[in-house]
Amino acid sequence: MAIHCVRPDISGEFRNPFDCDELIVKALVTVSAFVALADGQLDAIERDEAVNYIERQQLAPTISRARIAEFFDARARDLEDRDFADLIAEALRPVAALSLTFDVLRIALLVAAADRRLDPNEVQVVSLIRLISAPPAGPNAVNVDRPPVYWAD
């Protein structure tokens, strides 16, 4: 399901960092690059799967396919070169507000399976993304008397 935001209809380049399409691409491409790098190598098919998903679902119609691919490559370099925790947290911050949780998990799974093999590190990263992007639990969901139970695939 495409997300519709009120904004001028300008195609192509990234503009205002608060633009809805840019936030969507930033979140989805960051997740995709994170999963793609989990097995230690970045395959072009993984990038193509992410770009295809964003285009097929029409999640960012104002941003060109080539620009999404460029942003994926840049984000992958950023994740390799820096402490990635801040990048992931920043990119996933608007996911709930944009109703992107389903798309974040779906694209993570598609990228993990794109090369037809699931590396254990990719599965672990997908599980982490699932935890990070899950809606927050209510105040009664935490039991301070017991240690936390972590969900794993």
Side-chain angles (χ1 to χ4, degrees):
M1 179 172 153
I3 295 176
H4 301 284
C5 298
V6 177
R7 64 181 171 341
D9 187 24
I10 301 172
S11 298
E13 297 297 315
F14 285 140
R15 298 168 310 279
N16 182 339
F18 299 106
D19 182 59
C20 185
D21 285 0
E22 292 175 28
L23 292 173
I24 290 167
V25 168
K26 185 177 184 180
L28 296 176
V29 166
T30 301
V31 164
S32 300
F34 187 37
V35 172
L37 290 168
D39 63 0
Q41 59 186 21
L42 183 64
D43 295 325
I45 194 167
E46 293 169 321
R47 180 191 61 213
D48 294 343
E49 188 64 44
V51 174
N52 289 340
Y53 181 82
I54 294 167
E55 187 174 68
R56 190 171 53 246
Q57 298 300 318
Q58 299 177 350
L59 294 170
T62 63
I63 301 174
S64 72
R65 178 181 180 83
R67 186 68 177 124
I68 295 169
E70 288 172 11
F71 190 67
F72 180 97
D73 292 338
R75 186 53 58 148
R77 283 189 303 274
D78 289 345
L79 289 169
E80 286 178 318
D81 294 340
R82 300 190 322 195
D83 178 22
F84 61 84
D86 289 336
L87 290 174
I88 300 295
E90 179 187 333
L92 292 179
R93 190 169 288 126
V95 166
L98 294 171
S99 301
L100 281 178
T101 303
F102 173 82
D103 293 300
V104 164
L105 295 174
R106 182 73 179 145
I107 203 167
L109 291 168
L110 289 170
V111 169
D115 59 3
R116 304 235 183 258
R117 60 183 187 276
L118 282 177
D119 182 270
N121 291 328
E122 289 175 326
V123 173
Q124 187 175 16
V125 167
V126 170
S127 294
L128 177 62
I129 290 167
R130 183 176 288 148
L131 283 172
I132 293 170
S133 61
N140 296 331
V142 177
N143 185 344
V144 293
D145 296 332
R146 288 190 282 165
V149 176
Y150 295 101
W151 178 84
D153 274 336

